[in-house]
Amino acid sequence: MLSPTERFLFILLVAISLGATVVTFREMIQIIARGQGRLKTDDLPRRILTGAAALITQGSILKNRKITSLFHYGVAWGFIFYGLVNVVDVIEGFVAGFHIPGVLGDGYRLLADLFSVAVLVGVAYLMVRRFAFPAGARTLSARDNVKMMDKARAGIPKDSLVVGLFILLHVGFRFLSQTFDIALEGSDPLQPFANALAPTWTALGLGEQALTFGFHASWWIALGLIFLFLPYFPYTKHAHLFMGPINFMTRPDRPALGAMETIDFEDETIEQFGVARLTDLHQTHVLDAFACIMCNRCQDACPAYHTGKELSPAALEINKRYYLRQNMSDLAAGGEDAPHLMDYAISESALWACTACGACVEVCPVGNEPMFDILHIRRDQVLMQADFPNELQGAFRGMERTGNPWSTTEDRLDWTEPLPFDVPTVEENPDFDVLYWVGCAGAFDPKGQEIARSIATVLHAAGVNFAVMGEMETCTGDSARRAGNEYLYYEMAMANIETLNEIGAGDRRIVTGCPHCLHTIGKEYEELGGDFRVLHHTQMIADLVGRGKLRLNGQKLEQVTFHDPCFLGRHNGVYDAPRDALAQAGATLLEMERNRSQSFCCGAGGAQFWKEEEHGEQAVNHNRYQEAQSTGAGTLAIGCPFCARMLDDASKEAEQTMQVKDVAEVVAGAIS
């Protein structure tokens, strides 16, 4: 128990600390409030459970660096439990003889001891990895070609050191206080680690007075560090401990991982389209900067960074964070947020290197969404600055004038000519059950046309009553939206929704071979009033086989590896249907190391298909093709016409014999 003087000093320390903490935490809240929109707080009980689950599970941390993640679990769970430990320690210091009674007390002491060691071992491992091994240091830094504020590049290791030392000292001295207490009061088997260390003090000849001093000093240091550190919390990456769960709890409910919000072009009060400054970001993306743990897992998953480009999603968030650190008080007070994000947070090359694959969003353990920052900055560059890669001009013009980014005026039904059966249009077959949305690639790209014919063959063989739109079909606008031309997307989306409603598509199923069309029509048109049920062709195939409508010869035993398209898998969660379809067609699947939610991009997304790839060490499609080739499979199966084109090009450039086929082509070849 504390003496009266110690109690007074402790209360004074707490009062000073909490006063300073209120100031810095209030500044953090005020800065987040300067963002656009509002953090989501509807359906609060569900959201609180989401935040609590994120706190306990630590998000998606186990998906990568599994050994390191296990150590981090020990640190995280231990530090969470230490919230209770600190409260109990304070009560014990003020209330003579207080202890948690009975079985609860026994369990508490055991957990406190085990978690203390777990935290100390975990932090020691993380610090050794960070500072002693070059590989670990490289993982937690960015290449020199990545734009990063000088203070950020120098500050990241300092921040890691400050946080690591704080945890080591806080938990370490609390653990020591228990060893002194056991040496004074007697053995306690329910604190096995502290109990094992306690005899060291008597072996060193420490008497009762020295042990009592050691206990009090350790108690003071352990709790004093908490109150000294609290005001500094918002300035460090340690804020992720609570900002991460808040991030998960308050971010928008998206119909799919990468679904974007639509700009209201009818609102004449909007003066800024897209994001120029940090305060133009939605509040959830300002919060991202405070939640970032600077672990660089998003950077590891990014196909642009992995192939040597200037883009690092982690650097973007870290630059935002350090800009906030340098300007916290001024921004919180409403000061001018003058610099453009491209002045300090991201380079032009990095901005246009993003493939919108969503890997950074999917892998982040604290719920950050750097991909959206990039796509929103692109909106500013296109709509406000008219500053974007020249190659995109052709795709934009094609979508505006001919309804397709290929800028071709060819007939949208030319792809059907080699087929031995007629493909009916909605005018010819108004009572269709299934609308086949062919997509621009299926209509105009040679590789896409082969896929379109295979899908039509499958539907015809299964006796599906289907129709296509022919010349009534136009581009969904996906490429325009991901390239930042939101107004062009809006115009195309509204026209398509009107046409689809006119032909009664809202009451029927829509099937498409393009995951981008699947995503845009099925998940993003909804915000504009388009309510459509869209299936990927592999889902339709699995359904047809399951209902006995499609009979396949499963005796071919072809060795196949499957590339998960980003917009089919990661964005929309379709992983099993294409694999089931391949298995039903007799394929033996050889998985690539990066598969399903960790699949590597083909390089076409984010409107990359329509422009030159940004400078780097390797082309994204070549990297992915090499991985596919390493499986030893003879066929690389895909489920997206853009992936087909990119990986087929990579195969030809590598002068290899590996066949690149859509799942529909494999299935069509196995039809009995």
Side-chain angles (χ1 to χ4, degrees):
M1 181 176 173
L2 300 177
S3 67
T5 301
E6 286 180 310
R7 289 191 217 174
F8 171 76
L9 291 174
F10 186 80
I11 292 171
L12 180 62
L13 171 64
V14 171
I16 295 171
S17 172
L18 292 183
T21 300
V22 167
V23 171
T24 55
F25 274 69
R26 184 175 60 206
E27 287 181 346
M28 183 167 61
I29 293 169
Q30 289 171 332
I31 289 173
I32 293 171
R34 290 195 64 183
Q36 305 304 305
R38 289 288 181 270
L39 297 179
K40 297 297 182 180
T41 55
D42 58 303
D43 194 8
L44 199 55
R46 175 184 64 83
R47 290 186 176 276
I48 290 173
L49 287 175
T50 298
L55 178 65
I56 300 302
T57 63
Q58 297 293 290
S60 55
I61 196 170
L62 259 181
K63 291 183 178 179
N64 304 89
R65 307 179 194 169
K66 288 182 169 52
I67 294 176
T68 298
S69 297
L70 291 174
F71 280 103
H72 189 274
Y73 270 123
V75 175
W77 290 341
F79 206 81
I80 292 168
F81 187 78
Y82 252 64
L84 173 63
V85 170
N86 292 327
V87 171
V88 172
D89 284 352
V90 171
I91 295 174
E92 288 179 349
F94 279 79
V95 180
F98 174 83
H99 292 290
I100 298 176
V103 176
L104 286 178
D106 293 344
Y108 164 77
R109 295 200 313 281
L110 177 62
L111 287 175
D113 187 74
L114 296 178
F115 275 130
S116 294
V117 174
V119 171
L120 294 173
V121 171
V123 172
Y125 166 84
L126 294 172
M127 291 186 70
V128 167
R129 177 178 179 272
R130 175 67 178 85
F131 295 105
F133 291 98
R138 282 196 300 272
T139 301
L140 296 172
S141 62
R143 286 191 308 269
D144 291 341
N145 70 333
V146 172
K147 186 169 189 171
M148 186 175 286
M149 298 170 67
D150 291 339
K151 289 188 176 180
R153 201 175 284 277
I156 293 171
K158 293 178 183 177
D159 195 17
S160 298
L161 183 62
V162 168
V163 171
L165 288 177
F166 158 68
I167 297 174
L168 281 177
L169 292 173
H170 167 59
V171 176
F173 274 102
R174 197 275 170 186
F175 179 73
L176 282 179
S177 75
Q178 295 307 108
T179 65
F180 287 122
D181 188 49
I182 291 171
L184 283 167
E185 303 295 334
S187 177
D188 183 1
L190 288 173
Q191 299 186 74
F193 289 102
N195 201 55
L197 186 59
T200 304
W201 306 127
T202 53
L204 292 174
L206 297 185
E208 182 178 345
Q209 186 174 0
L211 292 172
T212 301
F213 174 81
F215 173 78
H216 279 257
S218 298
W219 186 94
W220 266 99
I221 293 172
L223 285 171
L225 282 168
I226 286 284
F227 292 104
L228 289 174
F229 192 76
L230 267 178
Y232 189 56
F233 241 115
Y235 289 88
T236 76
K237 71 176 186 178
H238 202 43
H240 78 273
L241 181 67
F242 52 89
M243 296 305 284
I246 291 173
N247 208 9
F248 277 109
M249 185 176 75
T250 59
R251 70 181 182 179
D253 290 321
R254 304 184 189 280
L257 179 143
M260 298 179 68
E261 298 86 1
T262 302
I263 295 176
D264 184 2
F265 289 103
E266 306 299 324
D267 186 349
E268 297 180 357
T269 65
I270 298 178
E271 297 181 355
Q272 171 65 40
F273 296 120
V275 167
R277 293 163 294 278
L278 189 139
T279 50
D280 292 331
L281 290 167
H282 192 281
Q283 287 185 6
T284 192
H285 297 140
V286 179
L287 193 157
D288 284 351
F290 289 106
C292 182
I293 191 176
M294 307 182 194
C295 65
N296 285 8
R297 290 170 188 263
C298 57
Q299 176 178 280
D300 291 350
C302 177
Y305 185 85
H306 196 81
T307 53
K309 316 298 191 294
E310 293 183 16
L311 173 59
S312 163
L316 170 60
E317 295 297 346
I318 292 168
N319 285 332
K320 286 162 56 181
R321 178 59 171 275
Y322 271 83
Y323 173 74
L324 291 175
R325 282 183 61 151
Q326 294 175 27
N327 301 278
M328 280 248 329
S329 298
D330 185 52
L331 287 171
E336 184 181 6
D337 180 24
H340 196 291
L341 280 163
M342 291 184 65
D343 291 339
Y344 64 90
I346 188 170
S347 69
E348 181 179 6
S349 177
L351 180 71
W352 295 105
C354 177
T355 65
C357 70
C360 58
V361 177
E362 194 275 337
V363 78
C364 182
V366 292
N368 283 359
E369 300 177 322
M371 178 187 73
F372 287 100
D373 289 11
I374 292 170
L375 299 181
H376 292 156
I377 296 171
R378 286 183 180 181
R379 286 177 173 178
D380 170 74
Q381 292 299 103
V382 174
L383 301 177
M384 304 297 292
Q385 314 296 332
D387 185 8
F388 52 89
N390 289 331
E391 302 100 324
L392 291 176
Q393 190 67 259
F396 292 161
R397 190 179 299 114
M399 284 184 268
E400 290 170 353
R401 297 178 180 177
T402 64
N404 69 82
W406 268 268
S407 300
T408 180
T409 56
E410 295 176 9
D411 194 299
R412 273 189 174 263
L413 289 173
D414 284 353
W415 64 272
T416 66
E417 291 180 1
L419 291 171
F421 55 87
D422 292 331
V423 175
T425 64
V426 293
E427 291 98 334
E428 296 165 340
N429 181 22
D431 297 323
F432 61 90
D433 295 325
V434 173
L435 175 67
Y436 173 28
W437 182 278
V438 180
C440 299
F444 303 116
D445 180 68
K447 184 67 176 175
Q449 289 176 331
E450 294 175 11
I451 297 169
R453 285 191 285 271
S454 294
I455 295 173
T457 298
V458 170
L459 296 175
H460 178 74
V464 175
N465 176 23
F466 76 100
V468 298
M469 293 172 64
E471 293 303 318
M472 297 172 67
E473 183 182 306
T474 62
C475 180
T476 63
D478 164 74
S479 292
R481 167 166 260 199
R482 265 74 201 174
N485 197 338
E486 181 70 10
Y487 186 74
L488 178 55
Y489 160 77
Y490 175 79
E491 291 289 304
M492 302 197 79
M494 294 303 292
N496 280 327
I497 291 170
E498 182 179 357
T499 303
L500 287 168
N501 284 332
E502 285 177 357
I503 65 173
D507 301 323
R508 333 279 180 95
R509 288 185 296 175
I510 301 173
V511 64
T512 180
C514 178
H516 296 264
C517 298
L518 166 83
H519 177 85
T520 307
I521 300 173
K523 300 299 171 63
E524 296 192 329
Y525 279 8
E526 183 178 352
E527 191 179 6
L528 295 171
D531 184 13
F532 306 112
R533 181 188 174 195
V534 189
L535 298 174
H536 189 250
H537 67 283
T538 59
Q539 294 174 298
M540 177 69 79
I541 290 169
D543 176 64
L544 292 172
V545 173
R547 291 191 292 119
K549 299 291 185 180
L550 186 65
R551 297 182 181 277
L552 301 180
N553 174 14
Q555 306 302 315
K556 295 181 67 174
L557 302 179
E558 182 179 7
Q559 287 193 327
V560 173
T561 188
F562 178 68
H563 161 75
D564 289 278
C566 300
F567 273 75
L568 180 63
R570 195 153 41 236
H571 282 279
N572 284 279
V574 179
Y575 297 111
D576 293 331
R579 289 172 170 79
D580 291 344
L582 289 169
Q584 290 156 356
T588 301
L589 188 64
L590 304 177
E591 292 281 13
M592 286 182 262
E593 182 177 351
R594 296 175 295 189
N595 62 72
R596 294 183 177 263
S597 64
Q598 297 186 60
S599 178
F600 196 73
C601 186
C602 75
Q608 296 297 318
F609 191 83
W610 309 107
K611 56 181 280 295
E612 289 294 325
E613 189 168 332
E614 304 302 315
H615 177 72
E617 297 168 357
Q618 185 184 30
V620 174
N621 61 334
H622 289 180
N623 184 285
R624 184 56 165 170
Y625 178 77
Q626 288 171 1
E627 184 179 9
Q629 192 180 25
S630 69
T631 65
T635 299
L636 169 55
I638 44 79
C640 170
F642 292 103
C643 295
R645 174 74 173 274
M646 297 297 288
L647 295 171
D648 191 51
D649 286 350
S651 177
K652 290 174 181 176
E653 289 168 19
E655 298 182 352
Q656 300 297 328
T657 57
M658 191 177 201
Q659 297 184 78
V660 178
K661 292 183 180 180
D662 189 273
V663 172
E665 294 179 277
V666 177
V667 170
I671 292 176
S672 299

